[in-house]
Amino acid sequence: MRPAVAAAVSVLVCACLLGAAPAEGDVLPDRMADTGGGSQLITAVAPEAGATTGTVTWWDRLDGRWVAAGSAPARFGANGLVEGAAREQGTNTTPTGLFSLPYAFGIKAAPAGITYKYRPVLPGSWWCQDNDSTSYNRWTEPRPADCRAQEAEHLVSYGPLYAHALVIGFNYDPPVRGRGAGIFLHVRGEGPTAGCVSVPEDAMRRILLWAKARGRPHIAVGTESGPTAITRY
């Protein structure tokens, strides 16, 4: 075999063994089934369904390409992740899927420079999780009589966790009772969440400053592979 041919064969064999390099621009959002139709996207990825940690990355669509604007370590539910359409309330699982981000909120004042809709947490702010309430999976102020306190989150009582947060539109419009309520992207605590996605406070602030209403940002939550792979959404 001639040296030039041998070299070409050698390169081909190596490429087959190692796998071809991804095409230029072949980043995670390019491989997803849907990104929400806007120019901004947050991806929250865990290595597998049983994981409680992973990575959050926020992306911009610039000149026809998705470009990462930042990333941070993330935490998920204490019992891992589960398909959003099959999730049950009270299971401490993070729902997977592609969701809207209706608005931001926080116990602390909105970061200087934020343009995304931001709702301040007041002493009378609650998030109703009572399946028997007409306010199920909604912010209420004050807490309505049909929403039991033990079935609701008194937002101000969450301290540093809700210093800044984004509402994740899981089971939001319309809400299905029993599927789950109060799923947020918020500041992380000391361990896994009860079903939310959490990131360090600095990252949460950067995300809020990055988010723009005109970008119609969405969040996609999923695993690297398998039935809940983020690329399915």
Side-chain angles (χ1 to χ4, degrees):
M1 184 180 295
R2 290 179 297 173
V5 175
V9 171
S10 177
V11 170
L12 179 61
V13 170
C14 288
C16 292
L17 291 175
L18 297 176
E24 184 177 359
D26 184 21
V27 294
L28 177 57
D30 292 328
R31 303 195 302 273
M32 291 173 54
D34 190 4
T35 57
S39 61
Q40 291 189 310
L41 176 70
I42 300 172
T43 55
V45 186
E48 58 186 8
T52 59
T53 61
T55 304
V56 158
T57 306
W58 48 107
W59 308 80
D60 287 302
R61 186 77 173 170
L62 300 173
D63 298 325
R65 299 178 62 186
W66 286 105
V67 179
S71 65
R75 290 175 177 161
F76 300 99
N79 289 321
L81 296 83
V82 67
E83 172 65 46
R87 185 180 186 270
E88 295 182 5
Q89 187 164 320
T91 55
N92 289 343
T93 53
T94 296
T96 61
L98 178 68
F99 309 110
S100 63
L101 295 164
Y103 57 89
F105 69 91
I107 294 172
K108 290 186 177 181
I114 187 175
T115 61
Y116 210 67
K117 181 179 179 182
Y118 191 90
R119 189 166 186 176
V121 173
L122 303 176
S125 303
W126 295 74
W127 194 278
C128 185
Q129 299 179 349
D130 191 332
N131 283 283
D132 296 325
S133 174
T134 55
S135 299
Y136 178 68
N137 202 22
R138 286 294 184 274
W139 180 299
T140 64
E141 209 171 76
R143 179 177 55 83
D146 71 346
C147 182
R148 294 166 290 173
Q150 64 269 30
E151 296 294 331
E153 288 190 359
H154 191 200
L155 298 179
V156 75
S157 69
Y158 281 75
L161 299 182
Y162 291 173
H164 300 297
L166 272 167
V167 175
I168 294 177
F170 164 71
N171 196 31
Y172 192 76
D173 190 21
V176 176
R177 284 165 171 74
R179 185 162 293 169
I183 301 298
F184 311 129
L185 173 63
H186 65 73
V187 177
R188 73 181 183 188
E190 296 181 355
T193 71
C196 296
V197 181
S198 68
V199 294
E201 182 173 3
D202 177 66
M204 192 69 241
R205 290 174 61 87
R206 285 187 287 143
I207 290 170
L208 292 186
L209 290 169
W210 158 86
K212 302 291 186 289
R214 66 177 181 273
R216 292 181 292 152
H218 284 66
I219 184 169
V221 184
T223 53
E224 293 178 358
S225 61
T228 53
I230 195 169
T231 50
R232 294 181 55 242
Y233 305 114

